[in-house]
Structures are given as C-alpha cells and as structure tokens.
C-alpha cells in the first residue's frame, strides 16, 4: 500500500510540473556593435566578457532554457559560450537588424514552449531578480506581454506569450516587436523596477565606461 501511495504522489507532482508554463530566454548576440567600433559583447565585464555576464544572469534565472542568437563575431562568442548550458542558433541575416535575430530564435523554439523572454546580449547589468519577477507574473497572472518599467520608461527584457508566434513573422524591422505592444495594449503588463539598468544602453565607449564604473564592482 505504501508504494502505491508513493506512486500516486509522484504522478501528482509530475502533473503539477507539466502544468507550469514553459519560458525560454532568448538572448540577442548577433549585432555588429557599429557604434562601439568594436564587438561590445567581447569587452571585459566583472572578470568575464559582457556576453558571458549577460548569459550568466539568464542561466541563474527561472527560465527553462537559454537560447543565444549569434551572427557577427560568432566564432569568438560561441567559443566563450561553449562551456555554458545554452543552446545556440546562428542568424545568417544578422545585418538585417534585431528583428531578424528575434525571428531566427523564435523559429528555433519548440512549439511546446509557452513564452519567450527577449533579452539583449549587452545587458550584463540587468538583475536575475527582474527576469524572475517577469516570469513569475507570467506564471501567476497570465499576462501575454510583460516588460519592466523604470520612471515610466519601458526597457528590456520583454516577455511575449508565443500565441503571437505567427504574427511575429509578419512584423517589419521598425518598430519590430514594439508593434505588438501597440496592437494589444490590453495584454501588456508593466513591472515597476527601482533601478535604471533595464533602460541602460551599452552602445558607445562612453556608455561602456560609465556603466562599467557603476556596475562592474562585484556587487551587482
């Protein structure tokens, strides 16, 4: 009788796990970093590189899988990511812009996945706690589009329910995924955060130096 009871308990546990929505984190790491005049994802950050630090934030989160889209400088970036538990897909059309990388990643994500959290490769300063809160809101409240906001400014990462998958492939480069926010304002849930890293850009040498001085101290 004891073993039968234990089996029922195990079955119940499996059911609970399978009913939880699956969320993949999609990290965009294919850009050319033209404004930085060198590949920013390979620049130093807290003893690692920018891309390693960003991926580390995602791997520490509640995301079920981490998928990285590479393109420019792919061999250097992929060699850094090889020891990490990430999936990689190459966007051969990366010069076409960010949306091409998003769609390349979306094509790779299995149909069994419920939502994608789109994260920029140059976001090593974004806290894992922010990623987790976005995923928790999705799991508990069922909002279809969730994004962080600091002082009324919307930032990244942004979660999209993959009910929009087919619609995404009809989007154009500008405004890209933002078009979905405009089409479905009633589906958008904003997460208020208390620090500015979700809106920070790591685009120029000045940005890099300022943010590195602020965040690259082992405490963030």
């Amino acid at each position: 009788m004891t073993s039968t009871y234990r089996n029922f308990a195990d079955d119940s546990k499996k059911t609970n796990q399978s009913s939880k929505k699956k969320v993949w984190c999609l990290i965009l790491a294919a850009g050319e970093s033209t404004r930085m005049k060198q590949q920013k994802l390979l620049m130093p950050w807290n003893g690692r590189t920018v891309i390693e630090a960003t991926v580390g934030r995602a791997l520490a989160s509640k995301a079920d899988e981490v998928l990285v889209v590479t393109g420019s400088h792919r061999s250097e970036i992929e060699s850094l990511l090889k020891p990490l538990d990430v999936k990689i897909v190459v966007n051969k059309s990366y010069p076409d812009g960010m949306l091409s990388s998003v769609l390349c990643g979306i094509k790779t994500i299995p149909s069994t996945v419920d939502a994608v959290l789109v994260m920029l490769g140059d976001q090593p300063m974004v806290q894992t706690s922010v990623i987790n809160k976005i995923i928790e809101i999705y799991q508990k409240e069922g909002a279809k589009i969730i994004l962080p906001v600091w002082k009324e400014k919307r930032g990244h990462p942004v979660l999209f329910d993959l009910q929009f998958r087919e619609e995404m492939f009809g989007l154009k480069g500008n405004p890209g995924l933002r078009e979905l926010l405009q089409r479905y304002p009633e589906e958008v849930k904003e997460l208020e955060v208390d620090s500015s890293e979700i809106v920070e850009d790591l685009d120029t040498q000045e940005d890099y130096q300022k943010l590195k001085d602020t965040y690259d101290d082992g405490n963030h």
Side-chain angles (χ1 to χ4, degrees):
M1 291 294 288
T2 306
S3 62
T4 306
Y5 175 79
R6 190 178 296 128
N7 286 339
F8 282 139
D10 289 345
D11 289 343
S12 172
K13 189 176 178 184
K14 283 176 188 169
T15 304
N16 289 339
Q17 286 175 340
S18 63
S19 65
K20 195 174 178 186
K21 293 177 180 175
K22 283 188 183 173
V23 179
W24 278 30
C25 185
L26 176 62
I27 298 179
L28 308 180
E32 297 173 275
S33 304
T34 48
R35 289 173 63 190
M36 188 68 79
K37 298 185 169 59
Q38 69 182 97
Q39 180 48 263
K40 60 186 173 183
L41 301 184
L42 299 173
M43 294 169 76
W45 191 278
N46 212 14
R48 295 182 287 177
T49 58
V50 168
I51 187 59
E52 287 174 288
T54 304
V55 168
R57 298 290 197 191
L59 285 173
S61 78
K62 294 180 178 179
D64 293 285
E65 297 282 355
V66 177
L67 174 65
V68 182
V69 182
T70 62
S72 179
H73 295 77
R74 60 169 285 213
S75 59
E76 298 99 313
I77 291 171
E78 288 177 15
S79 68
L80 288 171
L81 300 182
K82 199 171 184 181
L84 305 178
D85 185 20
V86 298
K87 299 178 186 300
I88 293 172
V89 62
V90 181
N91 176 19
K92 293 177 180 174
S93 303
Y94 69 87
D96 293 343
M98 189 185 294
L99 183 61
S100 70
S101 290
V102 173
L103 298 183
C104 177
I106 298 291
K107 280 179 190 170
T108 308
I109 295 174
S111 59
T112 52
V113 176
D114 298 287
V116 60
L117 184 81
V118 180
M119 189 169 178
L120 308 181
D122 61 345
Q123 284 196 300
M125 53 282 197
V126 166
Q127 302 294 301
T128 297
S129 59
V130 171
I131 300 173
N132 284 342
K133 279 179 188 168
I134 291 172
I135 293 173
E136 284 165 16
I137 290 170
Y138 178 68
Q139 298 287 5
K140 291 175 183 174
E141 300 183 24
K144 304 299 185 187
I145 302 172
I146 307 163
L147 45 79
V149 176
W150 177 74
K151 293 188 176 178
E152 299 185 1
K153 287 184 185 175
R154 289 176 165 180
H156 284 86
V158 184
L159 181 143
F160 293 91
D161 188 288
L162 285 174
Q163 74 172 47
F164 299 116
R165 186 192 292 257
E166 293 306 316
E167 203 165 343
M168 287 174 174
F169 291 107
L171 298 173
K172 303 300 180 194
N174 198 6
L177 290 180
R178 288 195 305 275
E179 175 74 19
L180 293 177
L181 278 67
Q182 294 163 12
R183 287 182 196 172
Y184 303 103
E186 73 284 356
E187 300 285 10
V188 177
K189 170 82 176 179
E190 295 184 340
L191 168 66
E192 295 278 350
V193 299
D194 56 9
S195 53
S196 62
E197 60 257 29
I198 59 117
V199 298
E200 303 280 16
D201 289 320
L202 200 61
D203 289 336
T204 65
Q205 290 287 347
E206 291 76 18
D207 294 337
Y208 172 72
Q209 207 53 58
K210 181 188 73 158
L211 293 170
K212 193 165 180 291
D213 290 345
T214 305
Y215 294 104
D216 188 4
D217 62 1
N219 296 319
H220 291 81

